[in-house]
Amino acid sequence: MDGAVAAPPLPDPGSSAQEAVQVCTEAHLRKEGRWSGQVHGRDVVVFHHQGGSYCMDRICHHAGGPLQDGDIEDIAGHACIVCPWHKIKITLATGESLYRAIDPATIKQRPPRTRWTSKGVKQRMHTAEIRDGNVYVTLSNNEQKVDSDYYYSEEYKKLVSSSKRGTT
């Protein structure tokens, strides 16, 4: 597994879901540039980019794409993961979704000017910390809902369950 550590899929009954979980070694993260897996039953991805470590939900908020397979690009001065399915751009630092908006002042120009604009935080961010040569992830305890939370909702679980049974 080259430095990867299997994270426990579910918390121990006596532990808090907010406990840090060791997910891989720092050497592994630096070499691979990313790690993905489950922490306390939640699919997450950790990215190492330009000396920083960033952790977010692995499933893209837009349509469930696999963020661990995306490329990291600089978008208007922000390091972003680009979802491989629909090219959604999500900042590594904040989880904001960025898009190109038309500058209203140039609406009559052809073509009008565009600028990168935030749709707000759409991707759940978690904490990635490097200690003693290992990478630890602590899940977010922020109760404010973001779009990527949908993939962990009862509504989504029911949808997946019914589709596996062949019903809608």
Side-chain angles (χ1 to χ4, degrees), residues 42-43 56-62 121-126 139-157:
R42 191 150 185 135
D43 294 308
M56 63 179 60
D57 283 350
R58 183 190 64 76
I59 302 169
C60 180
H61 70 86
H62 173 251
V121 175
K122 302 293 184 181
Q123 199 70 23
R124 172 72 60 199
M125 299 299 297
H126 309 286
L139 295 181
S140 171
N141 62 1
N142 186 335
E143 293 182 10
Q144 185 173 350
K145 295 285 185 203
V146 296
D147 290 4
S148 66
D149 292 337
Y150 170 72
Y151 296 98
Y152 302 93
S153 69
E154 288 303 315
E155 178 185 0
Y156 181 73
K157 290 174 186 172

Side-chain angles (χ1 to χ4, degrees), residues 10-86:
L10 296 171
D12 294 330
S15 71
S16 165
Q18 306 313 315
E19 287 183 2
V21 174
Q22 180 185 345
V23 296
C24 65
T25 65
E26 179 181 10
H28 173 82
L29 185 62
R30 286 183 182 277
K31 178 182 177 200
E32 300 297 324
R34 59 195 69 196
W35 174 89
S36 66
Q38 284 199 343
V39 172
H40 298 305
R42 191 150 185 135
D43 294 308
V44 299
V45 59
V46 179
F47 297 102
H48 177 74
H49 182 70
Q50 296 182 343
S53 298
Y54 309 91
C55 183
M56 63 179 60
D57 283 350
R58 183 190 64 76
I59 302 169
C60 180
H61 70 86
H62 173 251
L67 293 179
Q68 78 275 10
D69 295 336
D71 293 325
I72 296 175
E73 296 180 10
D74 180 79
I75 307 291
H78 301 279
C80 294
I81 186 68
V82 179
C83 181
W85 284 8
H86 300 106

